[in-house]
Amino acid sequence: MCGIVGYIGKRRAQDVLLSGLSKLEYRGYDSAGVAILHEGAFQLEKSVGRLSVLADRLEVDPLAGSQGIGHTRWATHGRPSDANAHPHADCSSAFVVVHNGIIENYLELRDDLMARGHQFASETDTEAVAHLLEEHWTGDLMETVLRALRDIRGAYALGIMAAAEPGKMIAVRKHSPLVIGIGEGENFIASDIPAVLEYTRNVYILEEGELAVVTAAGVSCFTLEGVPVDYKPFRVTWDAVAAEKGGYAHFMKKEIHEQPKAVRDTLSGRLLDDGTRIDLPELGWSEAMALDIDRIHIVACGTSYHAGLVGKVAIETLARIPVDVEIASEYRYRNPIVTDRTLILVISQSGETADTLAALRGARARGNRVLAITNVVGSSVAREADDVIVTWAGPEISVASTKAYTTQLVALYLFAAYVAKLRGAVDPQALLTLAHELTEIPEKLEELLDTAPVIEEIAREFSAWSDAFFLGRGLDYAVALEGALKYKEISYIHAEAYPAGELKHGTLALIVEGVPVVAMVTQDDVYEKSLSNIKEVKARDAHVLALAWAGDTQTHKSVDRVLYVPRTIPFLAPLMLIVPLQLLAYYASVARGNDVDKPRNLAKSVTVE
Ligand code: M6R
């Protein structure tokens, strides 16, 4: 997973490329590079490290030229280094290539090309593409690219230029996202829309297996067989500012604070204004369709998987359909037991996660109906699923997922209610209560965000420890898992979540004096049990922070500190609990001086296995 950008027009290419890459750093940031064509020759500048290293170099030694490609890398084949940074060139620097994805047969290609005398300068799979172009050169770039692609197996989004064809750039998409930005007298390619928004709002998302020939004057699209295709750009209506930090120190903080709006937007049009009815008009299912479902498999990765765990409880409780929640990287290689009535529900913020996409494709190949919950309208997941529920969280830039999770939960609650109603599985009064409580969530989230200064202080204390434990039962446990992931992901502190009742079966041995424990006690049916479990860790002198409902009168007696969250029904507790957990992780990361938005070894969009 990497970020690609390309420009052709009248501006200084280096500026456009650097600006575009800065919007794509969430896709990978271990090295960056640009190739700019000037007076018939490529100038390459690449450097290991953050984009700022490259930008500093280019500031000292700017590159002339108004046509170029750039890349920000998340290493897969070959460690992060100057040599492995993209763009890559062939032996004679006649072609330059940037790539996102994996060329699966690159070792084979490399051996073959080396046997033919090609010299490789990097350890990457991508470099093989540049040499293949050299090998297949016919005098026509598009024809050459199409020939070279026939030799390649794998996933790719490619940006390609040839010194012999100035004024032209080729973009190709196969299993990795790529968009074309259409300007006036200038055009762009990029892995994601925010990279071009500063310059144009007219965007075309390349389809699977499409190639675009991009010049300053226009864009033509073709299949990989070279057949011209009609394409229809669309106008991006969301604001470029939405993708910027907007005054916050980090994208993560901004995105945490955007949750009331994100939830409101996700509910909009799906809850009647008076809060009395839940609907998902985009699905338009009949009662028969809902009744036909015999089981649901929820498939996702990371935070989206954790949202799925809450979704299981929501769907089973309301609709009484059995649900299994599966990690996509496991599911895709299993032979799951499904019938033709099993619904596969994939959840993915980006809609480009390779494992989730593969699970989706496997499910469709088995003949199952696939419903996707995603945050990106034009993503692969959205386009390949049978039905889509979009979470209107807006662009999420920080690697640590926050507002995407909250809106995934909202989408799952809505879906559970929608199916339950169609199946006649739920008391209408319970749905009315749920609808009413959902309408109040955004306001309660706003109230909760005001507790940030208290959490900052707690996080500072906790961040001195090398471990933290997150405990809960039922839905509290599902959120504990997400809280622990957030905490470890950005603070680099070992964090684990446990069902509180499971502690005494081993984990209690890890509880020592002062160790931070975050315990959640919002589930009324196991309230007493949860308090007993808290007493077990307190008896071992752990430092316990409890998250409890406002008005709770008991919890404070058993813990060191309580953070009270605005009350809603226990069923919706995850929507409340997650905010303090996100803030705790955020401030622990800040206290440790970490790069909050770009945690080490991670990337926002995991488009490779
Ligand atoms: O885009 P997706 O929702 O498919 O991404 C799945 C995970 O990679 C993602 O949630 C990851 O776990 C987050 N970085 C966690 O904060």
Side-chain angles (χ1 to χ4, degrees), residues 325-606:
V325 191
E326 304 256 4
I327 289 174
S329 55
E330 293 291 319
Y331 189 76
R332 65 180 290 191
Y333 292 113
R334 291 207 304 106
N335 185 9
I337 299 173
V338 290
T339 70
D340 55 3
R341 297 168 55 204
T342 305
L343 175 74
I344 312 302
L345 199 176
V346 298
I347 310 175
S348 174
Q349 184 284 129
S350 61
E352 299 295 347
T353 300
D355 287 318
T356 309
L357 198 49
L360 178 159
R361 288 178 178 149
R364 293 210 72 211
R366 281 189 289 271
N368 286 112
R369 190 174 189 92
V370 177
L371 164 67
I373 294 180
T374 183
N375 193 36
V376 181
V377 180
S379 63
S380 305
V381 159
R383 292 190 302 163
E384 294 186 32
D386 297 286
D387 299 292
V388 182
I389 303 174
V390 176
T391 53
W392 297 109
E396 191 180 67
I397 306 296
S398 180
V399 167
S401 189
T402 53
K403 59 178 180 170
Y405 174 77
T406 337
T407 53
Q408 286 166 350
L409 296 188
V410 169
L412 286 159
Y413 284 121
L414 291 173
F415 175 68
Y418 176 75
V419 187
K421 194 170 135 206
L422 285 175
R423 290 169 69 102
V426 68
D427 169 14
Q429 188 54 45
L431 286 186
L432 274 183
T433 308
L434 177 63
H436 174 73
E437 291 292 334
L438 279 171
T439 52
E440 295 200 338
I441 293 293
E443 221 168 290
K444 289 178 180 169
L445 289 175
E446 264 150 24
E447 200 183 314
L448 199 46
L449 286 165
D450 291 340
T451 58
V454 180
I455 300 173
E456 182 174 9
E457 184 196 316
I458 299 169
R460 235 183 278 125
E461 289 167 27
F462 278 18
S463 66
W465 283 80
S466 52
D467 303 284
F469 296 91
F470 293 74
L471 308 180
R473 283 172 172 258
L475 281 172
D476 285 345
Y477 170 56
V479 197
L481 283 163
E482 174 58 9
L485 173 63
K486 216 84 309 169
Y487 200 73
K488 69 184 111 182
E489 179 179 25
I490 55 171
S491 73
Y492 312 152
I493 297 168
H494 165 244
E496 290 196 58
Y498 283 98
E502 182 67 9
L503 279 182
K504 53 179 112 30
H505 299 288
T507 312
L508 210 48
L510 294 174
I511 303 298
V512 293
E513 188 182 344
V515 73
V517 171
V518 183
M520 277 143 282
V521 275
T522 65
Q523 298 303 300
D524 291 348
D525 50 345
V526 285
Y527 180 74
E528 298 294 341
K529 307 261 173 225
S530 301
L531 284 185
S532 303
N533 297 137
I534 290 179
K535 284 179 187 141
E536 287 164 13
V537 291
K538 207 45 229 155
R540 273 90 190 163
D541 288 328
H543 185 98
V544 182
L545 165 69
L547 303 185
W549 292 126
D552 178 309
T553 55
Q554 297 305 311
T555 305
H556 74 99
K557 297 177 191 160
S558 315
V559 303
D560 296 279
R561 275 187 110 133
V562 190
L563 202 100
Y564 294 102
V565 300
R567 199 174 252 285
T568 175
I569 47 176
F571 191 56
L572 296 181
L575 287 167
M576 290 290 116
L577 293 174
I578 192 57
V579 173
L581 296 179
Q582 292 166 344
L583 287 168
L584 190 72
Y586 172 77
Y587 285 117
S589 177
V590 171
R592 289 209 154 196
N594 295 347
D595 189 340
V596 177
D597 287 330
K598 293 176 189 141
R600 68 184 178 208
N601 306 336
L602 299 177
K604 181 68 181 163
S605 205
V606 187

Side-chain angles (χ1 to χ4, degrees), residues 52-73:
S52 55
V53 180
L54 176 74
D56 289 349
R57 280 201 205 168
L58 289 173
E59 198 180 323
V60 178
D61 276 320
L63 301 177
S66 55
Q67 167 182 359
I69 51 178
H71 190 267
T72 177
R73 180 169 187 251

